[in-house]
Amino acid sequence: MRAFSTVSLLTLLLFASCMGYKEFPVESDYSFEGDFRRYKTFNFLDTRSSGSDSSLQNDIIESAIRARMELQGYEYTTRDPRLLVSYKIFYDSLFFTGYDQPDIELFIEYEENIDQEMDPVKYNLRQGTLLVLMYDRERKKSIWQGYASGVFGDSFYSDKRYLQGAVRSIFDQYKVFAEGFVVEKRKVSRN
């Protein structure tokens, strides 16, 4: 009987933890002019001084973006970064034009063979959208954008883990590692 209680308790805890996880509607687009194999460094585009959103959420969002970029091998620097990262919170619902494109990994691997015709897609983004944009500083072009809809439409908007989850959902669409970054494959020993 005791084993049944322990298993039941673990099952309930697992179910309860899944109930707390929120999956966001996420989309992303990239520019065919992006030089994705050559990016190593990044910094944030300073938008706070321009009168844009300066809420307390900025520190959480920037910290989550920085952690994810560094996890993918990018180096944070204030001296001539190749990528500038920006983000914006849209509190109202909005219509947004994205593009129907092959996955970014396919584009990077088979760039010459990919049809670079972009078909526009209209999105109706729900209240509270987080948009993350990457800008190639040398080419002076936006090269990638990811957005999660419905992030700030409920009581979770100030929860640190919730905001980190939204950023993580967006960056799950950007599966590009920094130039020269090697993902080490380790053999798992099973004893």
Side-chain angles (χ1 to χ4, degrees), residues 185-191:
K185 293 182 181 180
R186 295 183 183 188
K187 187 175 182 179
V188 178
S189 64
R190 296 186 181 159
N191 294 332

Side-chain angles (χ1 to χ4, degrees), residues 118-181:
M118 293 192 289
D119 295 324
V121 178
K122 299 281 187 190
Y123 295 109
N124 183 4
L125 301 178
R126 295 190 326 230
Q127 179 182 18
T129 295
L130 174 60
L131 169 72
V132 177
L133 185 118
M134 289 188 201
Y135 183 79
D136 183 324
R137 195 176 60 77
E138 288 179 14
R139 292 182 178 208
K140 297 178 176 43
K141 292 185 181 273
S142 172
I143 55 109
W144 185 85
Q145 62 187 12
Y147 29 97
S149 181
V151 176
F152 298 95
D154 56 28
S155 61
F156 296 108
Y157 71 92
S158 63
D159 182 277
K160 181 178 181 179
R161 290 177 56 183
Y162 181 83
L163 292 173
Q164 289 170 334
V167 170
R168 198 169 25 257
S169 293
I170 291 170
F171 274 88
D172 284 348
Q173 302 292 309
Y174 186 75
K175 301 171 190 160
V176 181
F177 293 98
E179 179 186 20
F181 185 72

